[in-house]
Amino acid sequence: MRKSVIACLTVAALSVGAVAGADGHISDKQIAAAVKARQSHMQLYSFHLTTLGGMAKGEVPYDTEAAAAAANSIVALTGLAQSGYWLPGSDSESIENTKALPAIWADGSDVGAKSGALTDAALAMQTAAATDLDSLKAAMEGLGGACGACHKMYRQASN
């Protein structure tokens, strides 16, 4: 599964994908839909990370079923095809209302490797979350680090 996620993101970062017209042009409507889809995907990550983080911080009681469900959802999200979300011209310098930096599409981008690290961390959390609170806490560092590593390089800082 990890290889398919990396391949999917690499293809997305390097090509216009199947959503471009025959002339290679990507419409404003396609760009807007792509940005909305990837932002929704990120909101789903955030939703499930909030559940896990709340447990890790002691803000909400640890619940094996809820923790496992959140971790399973994050793993599922890492496995979804995302190539259509990452269209050239959908970066923060090309359009408004996105924080995706142009570096995602630059030669030498390691976004695929960072995506692979997220998948690995999500799989580790999947095991840990269903084990016990201490295991969940230990796995949060890896999962948060994987998210942060990509955001640090490829996401515009908030004001």
Side-chain angles (χ1 to χ4, degrees):
M1 178 166 50
R2 177 178 174 217
K3 289 181 183 179
S4 65
V5 171
I6 292 170
C8 186
L9 285 174
T10 301
V11 168
L14 300 175
S15 70
V16 292
V19 296
D23 63 357
H25 176 73
I26 303 171
S27 74
D28 291 344
K29 185 176 180 179
Q30 290 166 316
I31 297 272
V35 170
K36 185 175 181 179
R38 76 174 176 236
Q39 288 173 343
S40 296
H41 194 110
M42 296 299 164
Q43 287 177 335
L44 288 170
Y45 278 132
S46 178
F47 176 80
H48 296 295
L49 284 166
T50 298
T51 298
L52 296 170
M55 289 180 195
K57 293 175 187 174
E59 296 170 352
V60 296
Y62 172 74
D63 177 289
T64 305
E65 287 184 30
N72 291 340
S73 294
I74 292 170
V75 169
L77 286 165
T78 66
L80 292 178
Q82 299 178 38
S83 61
Y85 302 173
W86 303 97
L87 300 178
S90 66
D91 60 83
S92 61
E93 291 182 10
S94 299
I95 61 169
E96 293 182 14
N97 300 319
T98 183
K99 294 180 181 180
L101 293 172
I104 293 170
W105 295 269
D107 288 339
S109 169
D110 68 345
V111 72
K114 291 194 183 322
S115 175
L118 175 61
T119 299
D120 291 345
L123 290 168
M125 176 56 80
Q126 187 177 41
T127 300
T131 303
D132 58 35
L133 180 58
D134 288 335
S135 298
L136 183 149
K137 286 179 181 180
M140 278 304 294
E141 185 175 342
L143 187 55
C147 292
C150 198
H151 285 188
K152 184 176 180 180
M153 292 288 299
Y154 301 113
R155 182 176 184 242
Q156 187 178 44
S158 296
N159 294 341

